């Protein structure tokens, strides 16, 4: 079953990632083959109070479509009001975060905290479904801990109340990011529901994408794997279509993309934050490249975008 008007076969999703999946990064991943992107999570309480930082997180453009806006919260009234407000931005869907594991959110009953009481989860999700004509999806984990795996129940509940897709990060809340994502649950979820099922967790290369589809997923969502290799989307699509591998991007391609991404960041956030907030992406662009120690030190201190671009081009020239 498609998500609203989105009818893409075997779509690859860019995962919502707080302070990572901002507009510039979404555009870059889109350019490199991500079919569907989702904003980082936005607090429903902050949304209804028009907090500027939160509004910036959900600023979307047509080039990013199809796109989902992700919200989190535990109050039915606030989630419902936030969903109504989001309608004006016309995202392709609203995603509800039922998976955030951090103590700050989960122990307050938000994010993965909703997995502790499926009655609460049902009420919160249902309040959003009822208050919007947009398709509603949810993103969650297997359960609170390994003694309380509830994902099959979650799937049945949300399917009944009209949710259009279910993304499962195949870890428990207790795991955080430890251990390995347990993809074997995807087959069980597939059997339990006819929901549009999006597999997530530890997908880093084309073989992982293929395996996740073999587990019965309708879509695959990639987070950290895209941060260290935003080319993973086009690489996976090519592999699924032809069974062959695309050549890895050259250093020049990496540097060109890094510069384009940096320019988008400055356009989006202005000179200061556009440069400083961008620093988290360098590790991904230069992962596995030898002799980058000095380059990375320089990139962490330079503030002028033109100087950064010159430094990147110099590195390319020296390395070529
Ligand atoms: C830095 C960071 C921020 C994240 N922020 C969010 C978020 O805002 N909403 C959400 O649903 N998941 C968030 N996640 C979880 C990811 O979407 C994803 O479920 C998780 O990283 C597992 O997928 P991966 O192995 O492909 O990274 C975040 C993950 C990371 C690493």
């Amino acid at each position: 079953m498609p998500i609203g008007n989105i009818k893409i076969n075997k779509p690859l999703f860019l995962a919502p990632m707080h302070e990572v999946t901002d507009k510039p990064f979404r555009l870059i991943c889109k350019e490199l083959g991500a079919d569907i992107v989702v904003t980082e999570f936005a607090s429903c309480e902050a949304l209804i109070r028009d907090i500027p930082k939160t509004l910036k997180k959900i600023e979307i453009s047509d080039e990013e479509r199809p796109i989902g806006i992700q919200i989190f919260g535990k109050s039915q009234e606030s989630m419902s009001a936030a969903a109504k407000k989001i309608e004006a931005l016309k995202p392709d869907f609203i995603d509800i975060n039922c998976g955030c594991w951090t103590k700050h959110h989960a122990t307050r009953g938000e994010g993965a905290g909703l997995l502790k009481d499926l009655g609460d989860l049902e009420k919160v999700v249902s309040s959003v479904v009822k208050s919007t004509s947009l398709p509603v999806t949810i993103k969650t984990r297997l359960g609170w801990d390994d003694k309380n795996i509830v994902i099959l129940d979650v799937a049945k509940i949300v399917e009944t109340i009209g949710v259009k897709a279910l993304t499962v990060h195949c870890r428990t809340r207790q795991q955080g990011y430890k251990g390995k994502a347990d993809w074997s649950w995807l087959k069980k979820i597939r059997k339990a529901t006819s929901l549009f099922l999006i597999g997530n967790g530890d997908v880093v290369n084309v073989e992982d994408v293929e395996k996740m589809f073999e587990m019965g997923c309708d879509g695959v969502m990639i987070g950290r794997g895209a941060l260290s290799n935003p080319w993973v989307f086009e690489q996976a699509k090519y592999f699924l279509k032809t069974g062959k591998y695309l050549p890895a991007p050259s250093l020049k391609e990496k540097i060109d993309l890094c510069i384009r991404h940096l320019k988008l960041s400055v356009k989006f956030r202005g000179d200061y934050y556009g440069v400083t907030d961008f620093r988290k992406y360098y590790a991904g662009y230069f992962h596995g490249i030898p002799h980058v120690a000095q380059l990375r030190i320089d990139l962490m201190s330079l503030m002028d975008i033109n100087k950064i671009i010159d430094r990147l081009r110099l590195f390319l020239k020296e390395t070529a």
Side-chain angles (χ1 to χ4, degrees):
M1 187 198 286
I3 307 170
N5 293 323
I6 310 172
K7 294 181 180 78
I8 303 172
N9 191 31
K10 293 190 166 181
L12 300 183
F13 290 71
L14 170 65
M17 286 182 283
H18 178 54
E19 294 186 342
V20 173
T21 317
D22 59 4
K23 190 176 187 173
F25 190 58
R26 296 195 302 262
L27 286 169
I28 288 293
C29 290
K30 206 77 221 198
E31 196 182 298
L32 294 176
D35 295 301
I36 303 176
V37 297
V38 184
T39 66
E40 59 187 297
F41 67 179
S43 149
C44 67
E45 302 296 343
L47 269 177
I48 58 182
R49 287 170 182 77
D50 286 329
I51 305 296
K53 207 174 160 197
T54 303
L55 296 179
K56 188 88 179 155
K57 286 183 187 176
I58 59 162
E59 198 181 299
I60 59 172
S61 58
D62 281 342
E63 308 148 86
E64 299 176 67
R65 288 187 189 285
I67 182 165
I69 290 181
Q70 190 187 68
I71 55 172
F72 72 89
K74 63 174 179 186
S75 144
Q76 295 171 54
E77 292 72 31
S78 303
M79 286 293 272
S80 158
K84 283 191 186 121
K85 194 157 188 174
I86 284 174
E87 267 202 343
L89 303 174
K90 301 192 172 68
D92 297 275
F93 58 99
I94 295 180
D95 187 59
I96 304 176
N97 182 312
C98 305
C100 181
W101 69 290
T102 60
K103 196 172 167 195
H104 178 73
H105 295 296
T107 55
R108 292 206 307 206
E110 307 165 343
L114 290 167
L115 294 172
K116 282 202 121 174
D117 182 337
L118 298 192
D120 276 354
L121 181 140
E122 179 171 0
K123 282 183 205 146
V124 168
V125 174
S126 185
S127 70
V128 174
V129 173
K130 283 186 194 143
S131 58
T132 177
S133 56
L134 291 168
V136 176
T137 62
I138 77 158
K139 178 168 179 289
T140 189
R141 289 181 177 239
L142 299 175
W144 183 260
D145 57 29
D146 58 1
K147 306 231 166 8
N148 294 284
I149 303 273
V150 290
I151 191 62
L152 299 181
D153 295 328
V154 170
K156 283 179 203 144
I157 291 171
V158 299
E159 184 168 24
T160 315
I161 58 182
V163 161
K164 299 295 180 207
L166 168 69
T167 303
V168 184
H169 175 188
C170 301
R171 284 188 174 85
T172 62
R173 183 270 163 182
Q174 193 185 40
Q175 277 181 289
Y177 288 96
K178 290 197 212 103
K180 192 92 187 97
D182 183 355
W183 295 357
S184 67
W185 279 98
L186 294 168
K187 272 193 180 168
K188 298 175 204 162
I189 305 165
R190 175 70 303 151
K191 275 195 190 150
T193 168
S194 56
L195 273 170
F196 193 95
L197 175 62
I198 304 156
N200 172 242
D202 297 347
V203 175
V204 294
N205 58 35
V206 298
E207 286 88 358
D208 292 338
V209 172
E210 186 181 49
K211 267 186 234 149
M212 258 212 182
F213 280 122
E214 283 168 9
M215 305 302 276
C217 293
D218 300 297
V220 172
M221 181 178 275
I222 309 176
R224 292 163 299 168
L227 185 57
S228 58
N229 174 24
W231 285 269
V232 66
F233 300 104
E234 62 178 26
Q235 289 167 347
K237 282 169 139 179
Y238 186 78
F239 183 75
L240 291 176
K241 204 167 152 194
T242 65
K244 294 183 188 144
Y245 294 91
L246 274 179
S250 65
L251 180 61
K252 180 173 183 322
E253 283 171 301
K254 286 187 176 180
I255 289 189
D256 285 349
L257 187 73
C258 179
I259 292 173
R260 209 157 60 249
H261 188 179
L262 172 65
K263 285 182 179 169
L264 284 175
S265 177
V266 167
K267 190 171 161 202
F268 184 62
R269 292 191 200 284
D271 291 339
Y272 183 82
Y273 290 111
V275 165
T276 54
D277 285 2
F278 189 77
R279 290 177 180 157
K280 61 177 99 82
Y281 299 101
Y282 290 126
Y285 281 113
F286 298 107
H287 178 74
I289 296 175
H291 314 302
V292 287
Q294 187 57 49
L295 173 70
R296 283 175 65 175
I297 291 170
D298 294 346
L299 294 175
M300 289 299 160
S301 57
L302 288 169
M303 284 305 301
D304 179 339
I305 179 169
N306 294 315
K307 289 197 175 134
I308 298 173
I309 294 173
D310 288 348
R311 181 66 185 92
L312 288 165
R313 293 209 168 117
L314 176 67
F315 179 74
L316 179 62
K317 208 169 139 198
E318 284 171 351
T319 314

